[in-house]
């Protein structure tokens, strides 16, 4: 690889213009992706701070660090910030935004101004949410269950509800932009069958964003109206139904789980072929399983409500459908593993994250099967088992995918390599810290520890596992902070990456790093399938120094 | 095993743990073996493989088959958990921020404690007077949300005397984690002793009868002649023909709704003239009224407080 210093004059999207205005008024999808990256990282640390306080409180059985009300706000705002302001926008709005146009050979998304608008909407929503936090916060849990949220909570439910309502439009516009872009902006020769799986998975994600998000938006507006105008939709004393809220909430929020995990699957589907030097195993099945997940994912919402008083027969139907949605996820895991068969494997940082993803997502998925099994769900529902399960999917899956993707495309985004040794170390720390944090929670849940408990002094036998979990969380925190440090360091001191340091396939690697403002000097013409790794040379061995 | 549900739930749970362990270790081991065997070396190139339809079908169909077994297995347990035996002992539960209030048929009342005899089918008829709570006894492997505005039920048969944790599992506000208590499972003789202790003012149904008079229900719902409201004798547990042509089962939720929102389901042949008692009766009083109306179907009219082991005319749910 030629490591000739890139002449400073070479224009790319980063040095094309300077000044704050050139960022705030940009319509370049790559710059908008970076705006998102900065904003969601800030929100991640806000949510992480709340998680820290939760874990510290649970270190001892007594409720001795925070007040009960404060604790309730901490887990509520941890969930809301992480779900609505970090996980949902994370991969789509950063990596999806940056990469989808490049992967399909387009100059930008279909609606560049709408893309910028969606970031501004996100910022307004996040600003409103921060204001909600600083004016006292909200304590409804991230789920806003009525009638607690509508009639009983004395906290800032309206601000939080409106903030998430507004954030929803950001998500809808991003989804709209991706759908139109994938349909209309593909370069000549980029047929649907040649699309990188990253694009397929984001396409499925975008469909969910478009169809699901309006439902949560309206539902939260109903809660806001119930509080302000006293509508009575969810108030049983006036003929309303509090459980109706749960149906509406989960109609979005279950598919939202797939908004968070499908983009991670998108990332893993790119990394594994690259570091195996192989075409992905069963391309069509991996692509179609994304669509399958998106479709069936809309039909399983009431599996969150098996003990909420729904009818026996509807519980049976939703349990059945939930088992069905597990099949396409299993197909993906098997295909990724099979991709490594007879490959030429190297274990750079992105690959470590991808393998970590497979392992943790497998555990997350299998424990989802526990929850789909009706008799078992009755026992472990609303316990730490559920907490552990969805953190295996949301952190072990979504966050590891995000970190893996950030490392994989960092050279493309910044033009510099991150220090490989530190990268691998951080990946291992994240994996260990994560398991230590969340595995004990499966056991706690089976023992009966309900979620959202501030004080467990009557059950001191739960302390040991909680101490393990808190210890794990502090290791995990180190694993999150390390990449922050070395990636910022690499912006200035990292080695020059070159156009394609991984020798990866995909159009995004066929343009300079960092890419020019309009991605390609000439519109590329695609003549080959995705993942033609047999035609690519092996990458230069990456040195572990620094 | 502390209850009749515990063993079936634990068996499927153990099966799931083994299945998950095998699957997870299998995937990890496969990756580890591939990682060693196919790590990048000079002179060895990746072997390009498109995929395999047979493999895809295999690893779709086998998980699907296992999932269907699990679906059926879990469903059978759930069906059993949701179908209380007809002759269960009924106990009323009211959740409120942040305590559990228990009303026994015989008149005993408790807070945050539930005393029950061993080896008897117990059916809890539960509601909340404020937000949603969830009645959770981990060692019994049972849980049911307790919802304002209607009854939900939970049943079990405790099999080992002892004291067990009772938790609220649905977040309900400040003292959610303090909404805990205990279930005391007693030998029959201890239970008899416990039942005969304390001061009790009449059975639940008798209290309901008193309320029925005090609230003036009896002016319209008469037993001697046809009043302005239907005669309630023998109504509970039977289908009721409504004015709009529908037929509903007169269960606890129907009686409850008819007291709070009388116009919601008007009985055929009657006028919607009954006033609402919303806000005038507490949840505990409602339970007493429901128990009274129920007693009218179990024995000659008005003879409330009779033993509850008479076979009802129909299942309650």
């Amino acid at each position: 690889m030629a490591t000739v210093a890139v002449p400073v004059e070479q224009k790319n999207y980063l040095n094309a213009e300077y000044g704050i205005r050139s960022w705030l008024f940009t319509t370049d999808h790559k710059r908008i992706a970076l705006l998102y990256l900065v904003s969601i990282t800030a929100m991640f640390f806000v949510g992480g701070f709340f998680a820290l306080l939760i874990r510290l409180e649970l270190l001892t059985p007594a409720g001795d660090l925070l007040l009960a009300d404060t604790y309730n706000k901490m887990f509520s705002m941890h969930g809301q910030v992480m779900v609505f302001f970090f996980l949902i926008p994370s991969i789509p709005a950063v990596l999806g935004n940056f990469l989808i146009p490049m992967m399909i050979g387009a100059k930008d998304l279909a609606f560049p101004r709408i893309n910028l608008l969606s970031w501004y909407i996100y910022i307004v929503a996040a600003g409103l949410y921060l204001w909600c936090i600083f004016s006292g916060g909200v304590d409804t849990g991230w789920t806003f269950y009525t009638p607690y949220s509508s009639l009983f909570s004395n906290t800032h439910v309206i601000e939080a509800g409106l903030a998430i309502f507004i954030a929803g439009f950001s998500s809808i516009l991003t989804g709209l932009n991706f759908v139109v872009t994938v349909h209309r902006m593909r370069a000549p020769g980029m047929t649907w069958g040649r699309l990188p799986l990253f694009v397929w998975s984001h396409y499925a994600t975008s469909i969910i964003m478009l169809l699901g998000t309006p439902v949560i938006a309206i539902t939260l507006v109903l809660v806001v109206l119930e509080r302000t105008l006293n509508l009575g939709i969810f108030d049983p004393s006036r003929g309303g139904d509090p459980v109706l809220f749960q149906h509406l909430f989960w109609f979005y929020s279950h598919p939202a789980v797939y908004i968070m995990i499908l983009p991670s699957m998108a990332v893993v589907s790119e990394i594994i072929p690259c570091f195996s030097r192989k075409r992905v195993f069963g391309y069509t099945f991996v692509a179609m399983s994304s669509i399958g997940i998106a479709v069936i994912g809309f039909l399983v919402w009431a599996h969150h409500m098996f003990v909420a008083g729904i009818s026996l027969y509807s519980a049976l139907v939703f349990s059945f459908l939930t088992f069905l949605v597990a099949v396409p996820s299993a197909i993906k895991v098997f295909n990724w593993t099979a991709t490594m068969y007879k490959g030429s494997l190297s274990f750079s940082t992105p690959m470590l994250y991808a393998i970590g993803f497979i392992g943790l997502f497998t555990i997350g998925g299998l424990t989802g099967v526990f929850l789909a099994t009706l008799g078992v769900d009755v026992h472990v529902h609303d316990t730490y088992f559920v907490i552990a399960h969805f953190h295996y999917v949301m952190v072990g899956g979504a966050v590891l995918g995000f970190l893996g993707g950030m490392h994989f495309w960092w050279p493309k985004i910044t033009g510099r390599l991150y220090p490989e040794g530190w990268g691998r170390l951080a990946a291992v720390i994240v994996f260990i810290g994560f398991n230590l944090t969340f595995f004990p929670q499966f056991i706690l849940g089976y023992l009966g520890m309900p979620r959202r408990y501030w004080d467990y002094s009557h059950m001191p036998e739960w302390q040991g596992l909680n101490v393990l979990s808190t210890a794990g969380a502090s290791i995990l925190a180190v694993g999150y902070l390390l990449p922050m440090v070395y990636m910022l360091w690499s912006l200035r001191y990292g080695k020059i990456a070159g156009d394609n340091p991984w020798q990866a396939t995909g159009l995004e690697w066929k343009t300079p790093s960092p890419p020019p403002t309009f991605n390609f000097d000439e519109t590329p013409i695609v003549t080959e399938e995705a993942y033609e790794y047999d035609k690519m040379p092996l990458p230069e061995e990456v040195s572990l120094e620094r | 095993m502390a209850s009749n549900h515990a063993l079936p739930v634990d068996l499927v749970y153990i099966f799931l743990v083994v299945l998950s362990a095998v699957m997870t270790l299998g995937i990890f081991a496969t990756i580890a073996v591939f990682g060693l065997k196919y790590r990048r070396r000079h002179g060895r190139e990746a072997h390009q493989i498109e995929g395999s339809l047979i493999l895809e079908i295999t690893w779709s169909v086998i998980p699907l088959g296992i999932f269907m077994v699990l679906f059926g297995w879990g469903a059978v347990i759930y069906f059993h958990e949701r179908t209380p035996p007809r002759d269960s002992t009924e106990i009323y539960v009211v959740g409120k921020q942040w305590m559990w209030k228990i009303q026994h048929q015989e008149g005993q009342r408790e807070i945050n404690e539930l005393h029950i005899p061993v080896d008897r089918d117990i059916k809890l008829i539960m509601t909340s007077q404020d937000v949603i709570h969830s009645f959770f006894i981990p060692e019994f492997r049972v849980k049911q949300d307790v919802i304002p505005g209607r009854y939900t039920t939970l049943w079990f048969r405790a099999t080992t005397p002892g004291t067990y944790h009772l938790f609220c599992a649905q977040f309900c506000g400040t003292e959610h984690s303090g909404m805990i208590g205990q279930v005391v499972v007693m030998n029959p003789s201890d239970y008899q002793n416990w039942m005969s202790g304390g001061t009790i003012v009449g059975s639940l149904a008798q209290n309901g009868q008193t309320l029925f008079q005090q609230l003036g229900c009896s002016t319209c719902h008469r037993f001697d002649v046809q009043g302005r409201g239907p005669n309630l004798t023998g109504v509970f547990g039977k289908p009721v023909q409504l004015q709009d042509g529908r037929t509903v089962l007169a269960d606890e939720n129907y009686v409850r709704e008819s007291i709070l929102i009388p116009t919601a389901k008007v009985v055929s042949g009657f006028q919607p003239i009954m006033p609402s008692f919303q806000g005038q009766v507490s949840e505990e009083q409602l339970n007493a009224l429901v128990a009274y109306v129920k007693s009218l179907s179990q024995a000659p009219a008005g003879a409330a407080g009779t033993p509850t082991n008479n076979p009802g005319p129909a299942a309650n749910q």
Side-chain angles (χ1 to χ4, degrees), chain A residues 139-418:
Chain A
D139 76 341
T140 57
W142 80 278
T143 48
F144 287 99
Y145 271 18
T146 58
Y148 184 74
S149 65
S150 53
L151 297 172
F152 289 85
S153 174
N154 295 316
T155 58
H156 297 263
V157 181
I158 293 176
E159 290 90 328
L162 286 179
I164 293 167
F165 171 77
I166 294 169
F169 286 95
S170 163
S171 182
I172 292 171
L173 292 179
T174 301
L176 176 81
N177 226 333
F178 286 178
V179 169
V180 176
T181 305
V182 174
H183 272 276
R184 304 298 303 160
M185 311 276 285
R186 281 171 288 126
M190 179 56 88
T191 60
W192 286 90
R194 287 175 177 170
L195 282 179
L197 289 166
F198 184 93
V199 178
W200 267 110
S201 220
H202 272 80
Y203 182 77
T205 308
S206 305
I207 300 279
I208 302 174
M209 285 172 160
L210 275 175
L211 296 180
T213 316
V215 179
I216 185 100
I218 293 302
T219 310
L220 291 175
V221 166
L222 286 177
V223 171
V224 169
L225 292 180
E226 184 112 347
R227 282 180 78 92
T228 48
L229 305 178
N230 227 351
L231 286 186
I233 296 171
F234 306 121
D235 178 4
S237 67
R238 285 184 290 160
D241 182 0
V243 179
L244 172 65
F245 172 85
Q246 297 180 26
H247 282 287
L248 294 171
F249 180 82
W250 290 115
F251 184 81
Y252 165 77
S253 294
H254 190 77
V257 171
Y258 300 115
I259 295 181
M260 299 179 244
I261 194 70
L262 278 168
S264 253
M265 294 170 161
V267 169
V268 170
S269 301
E270 297 300 312
I271 292 175
I272 289 186
C274 175
F275 293 92
S276 306
R277 311 312 297 170
K278 266 188 68 187
R279 182 186 294 275
V280 78
F281 193 90
Y283 171 93
T284 317
F285 288 89
V286 180
M288 286 305 131
S289 61
S290 293
I291 305 295
I293 288 173
V295 172
I296 309 173
F298 267 108
L299 305 174
V300 300
W301 75 89
H303 68 209
H304 297 266
M305 302 167 61
F306 289 152
V307 299
I310 60 171
S311 92
L312 180 55
Y313 297 100
S314 70
L316 295 183
V317 171
F318 280 102
S319 169
F320 179 80
L321 289 166
T322 304
F323 278 108
L324 286 191
V325 82
V327 174
S329 301
I331 290 175
K332 280 183 186 286
V333 168
F334 294 136
N335 278 297
W336 291 323
T337 310
T339 303
M340 291 182 225
Y341 176 65
K342 292 197 173 175
S344 171
L345 307 180
S346 72
F347 298 93
S348 302
T349 310
M351 186 64 163
L352 292 184
Y353 279 112
I355 290 173
F357 171 98
I358 295 179
L360 301 182
F361 178 74
T362 301
I363 297 176
L366 283 164
T367 49
V369 173
F370 284 61
L371 296 167
T373 307
L374 282 163
V376 175
D377 180 71
V378 169
H379 175 50
V380 292
H381 185 77
D382 275 333
T383 69
Y384 266 84
F385 190 95
V386 174
I387 306 289
H389 156 70
F390 71 68
H391 281 90
Y392 266 81
V393 178
M394 303 285 83
V395 181
V399 176
L400 260 65
F402 176 70
L403 289 171
M406 284 310 299
H407 284 83
F408 187 53
W409 284 290
W410 190 253
K412 179 57 56 183
I413 294 170
T414 64
R416 304 252 179 191
L417 292 173
Y418 60 85

Side-chain angles (χ1 to χ4, degrees), chain B residues 87-91 105-106 120-124 191 308:
Chain B
D87 55 353
S88 306
T89 300
E90 294 181 347
I91 299 174
Q105 292 282 355
E106 295 80 0
R120 198 186 297 172
D121 295 337
I122 306 288
K123 176 182 172 187
L124 303 179
Y191 183 67
T308 51

Side-chain angles (χ1 to χ4, degrees), chain B residues 17-297:
Chain B
V17 169
V18 172
L19 175 78
S20 304
V22 169
M23 282 293 304
T24 309
L25 293 177
I27 297 276
F28 274 95
T30 309
I31 292 176
V33 168
F34 288 177
L36 285 173
K37 211 171 162 189
Y38 306 122
R39 69 180 184 277
R40 195 162 299 166
R41 274 169 297 195
H42 286 293
R44 205 187 63 74
E45 282 202 357
H47 211 85
Q48 297 302 325
I49 303 164
E50 283 289 329
S52 155
L53 185 63
I54 294 169
L55 269 179
E56 299 288 350
I57 291 172
T58 311
W59 63 45
S60 309
V61 170
I62 291 177
L64 184 66
I66 297 173
F67 291 161
M68 289 304 100
V69 170
L70 279 166
F71 163 70
W73 193 353
V76 167
I77 296 170
Y78 185 73
F79 195 91
H80 189 59
E81 286 174 339
R82 291 282 299 267
T83 319
R86 283 185 189 187
D87 55 353
S88 306
T89 300
E90 294 181 347
I91 299 174
Y92 289 82
V93 176
V94 177
K96 69 164 287 210
Q97 291 174 321
W98 293 278
M99 63 172 76
W100 297 104
K101 298 187 284 190
I102 314 285
Q103 295 169 284
H104 293 264
Q105 292 282 355
E106 295 80 0
Q108 281 81 4
R109 300 175 69 161
E110 326 181 53
I111 285 180
N112 292 341
E113 288 204 342
L114 171 63
H115 285 79
I116 50 167
V118 73
D119 287 331
R120 198 186 297 172
D121 295 337
I122 306 288
K123 176 182 172 187
L124 303 179
I125 300 170
M126 309 187 291
T127 189
S128 161
Q129 67 183 61
D130 40 49
V131 301
I132 298 177
H133 304 280
S134 192
F135 196 92
F136 178 30
I137 313 170
E139 276 142 310
F140 290 7
R141 308 285 186 258
V142 292
K143 179 184 292 113
Q144 173 63 51
D145 282 8
V146 177
I147 300 164
R150 66 180 169 117
Y151 290 113
T152 53
T153 60
L154 177 66
W155 87 273
F156 50 82
R157 185 172 64 249
T159 50
T160 316
T163 304
Y164 302 96
H165 284 305
L166 159 65
F167 298 126
C168 175
Q170 184 62 268
F171 178 65
C172 57
T174 310
E175 291 291 335
H176 168 54
S177 58
M179 192 169 164
I180 59 178
Q182 55 190 21
V183 178
V184 183
V185 179
M186 309 170 91
N187 286 315
S189 57
D190 294 340
Y191 183 67
Q192 280 310 318
N193 286 340
W194 181 80
M195 288 295 275
S196 49
T199 49
I200 292 153
V201 196
S203 73
L204 193 59
Q206 279 163 351
N207 289 335
Q209 187 179 21
T210 312
L211 270 172
F212 197 78
Q213 308 291 343
Q214 281 172 356
L215 293 168
C217 312
S218 51
T219 30
C220 299
H221 296 285
R222 298 174 69 104
F223 302 110
D224 44 357
V225 294
Q226 182 61 277
R228 282 181 291 172
N231 181 342
L232 299 179
T233 309
V235 164
F236 191 87
K238 297 230 176 76
V240 177
Q241 180 79 36
L242 299 185
Q243 215 174 25
D244 57 12
R246 282 182 298 165
T247 306
V248 294
L249 181 71
D251 57 7
E252 288 93 348
N253 273 318
Y254 170 76
V255 176
R256 174 197 172 85
E257 183 185 48
S258 298
I259 297 169
L260 298 179
I261 311 173
T263 48
K265 296 189 176 92
V266 179
V267 177
S268 171
F270 292 89
Q271 293 301 310
I273 51 171
M274 177 171 159
S276 164
F277 286 82
Q278 186 93 55
Q280 297 178 46
V281 284
S282 69
E283 291 295 340
E284 285 101 319
Q285 290 175 324
L286 265 174
N287 288 341
L289 286 166
V290 169
Y292 172 61
V293 171
K294 206 183 277 189
S295 73
L296 296 174
S297 298

